[in-house]
Amino acid sequence: ADSVNINTADAETLSTQLSGIGERRAEAIIRYRDQHGPFRSPEDLMQVKGIGERVLEINHENIRVN
């Protein structure tokens, strides 16, 4: 799979390219980004409610922040 820039991807891209991320979580990622600014590392994703270590682990290779 292509890597996904979690700072620029839209909800559809996030939910289709990342495992365990559905539409609701994708929207939560975007809301978090809007409120707190860009993610500095893939690990920052765990600040988003509903996203835990497992989801991060599965997707780690596919996540970019720039």
Side-chain angles (χ1 to χ4, degrees), residues 2-3 9-10 13-14 16 18 21 24 26 30 37-38 43-44 46 51 53-56 58 63-64 66:
D2 293 334
S3 62
D10 60 17
T13 303
L14 290 166
T16 54
L18 298 176
I21 304 286
R24 293 224 333 259
I30 291 173
E43 284 70 25
D44 285 352
M46 291 199 302
I51 296 178
E53 259 175 69
R54 184 85 189 102
V55 169
L56 189 68
I58 298 167
I63 295 173
R64 285 185 301 124
N66 55 26

Side-chain angles (χ1 to χ4, degrees), residues 35-63:
Q35 288 167 356
H36 302 273
F39 294 101
R40 286 189 294 277
S41 73
E43 284 70 25
D44 285 352
L45 258 193
M46 291 199 302
Q47 305 294 322
V48 181
K49 190 169 157 44
I51 296 178
E53 259 175 69
R54 184 85 189 102
V55 169
L56 189 68
E57 232 172 79
I58 298 167
N59 294 295
H60 207 279
E61 317 280 279
N62 296 336
I63 295 173

